[in-house]
Amino acid sequence: MAIEFENIIIESVILAVIIFGAVYLELWYYRRYQKIEDEKTKKMILRLIKEDLTRKQRFLEESIKFKDYKPFFTNVWDSIILSGKQTLLSFELINNFEHSYSWMRYYNTELHQRGVVGNEQTLLELLGEIKKTIESSLNVLKSS
């Protein structure tokens, strides 16, 4: 009778170890998979932002050259914020990108509220600031 009781305890311990090991292994695999997916998403976000800022830079140059003041679209950064994926980026990157896109929004507000007539100097100054922040963001992207 005592031997059967010992066998039941041993079998129960072995079963518990197997179950615990399987759960641990599954959790480890899930975390590893999630980390790989997050890295892929981070790379795609950085590529998307780089392409967007490069387009904004060309748009800015054309606006200054032809004195054709049009609003900037900030939908790329807005979509990243709304999706919550900005948390994959470092704080310095988020801060830098937010600074650049905030200047673009400020320019859009000035353009919308005051228009172009009589406000051209202010718009040019804002475009200069936007140009600096875009260059700064692109430099940060190159270094990261």
Side-chain angles (χ1 to χ4, degrees), residues 10-26:
I10 292 171
E11 288 174 2
S12 296
V13 169
I14 291 172
L15 184 61
V17 167
I18 290 171
I19 291 172
F20 179 77
V23 169
Y24 178 79
L25 186 63
E26 183 178 352

Side-chain angles (χ1 to χ4, degrees), residues 117-134:
V117 179
N119 197 24
E120 196 167 326
Q121 184 61 33
T122 304
L123 294 176
L124 283 173
E125 290 173 7
L126 288 174
L127 287 174
E129 286 297 323
I130 293 170
K131 184 177 182 177
K132 285 185 220 175
T133 61
I134 288 175

Side-chain angles (χ1 to χ4, degrees), residues 21-69:
V23 169
Y24 178 79
L25 186 63
E26 183 178 352
L27 184 62
W28 173 80
Y29 178 75
Y30 175 76
R31 285 183 181 164
R32 184 172 172 259
Y33 176 77
Q34 190 62 45
K35 186 176 179 180
I36 291 169
E37 287 297 313
D38 287 348
E39 283 298 316
K40 285 180 187 177
T41 304
K42 180 180 173 181
K43 286 178 184 178
M44 294 295 287
I45 288 172
L46 290 176
R47 194 176 93 211
L48 179 66
I49 290 173
K50 182 179 179 183
E51 290 172 1
D52 185 53
L53 289 176
T54 304
R55 285 191 304 263
K56 299 280 191 266
Q57 204 172 28
R58 281 182 283 192
F59 179 79
L60 186 134
E61 295 297 330
E62 290 172 2
S63 292
I64 293 172
K65 182 178 178 182
F66 299 117
K67 297 190 184 280
D68 182 28
Y69 304 106

Side-chain angles (χ1 to χ4, degrees), residues 105-119:
R105 286 188 203 101
Y106 180 63
Y107 167 83
N108 290 347
T109 303
E110 283 291 317
L111 186 62
H112 179 71
Q113 288 180 349
R114 297 188 183 181
V116 178
V117 179
N119 197 24

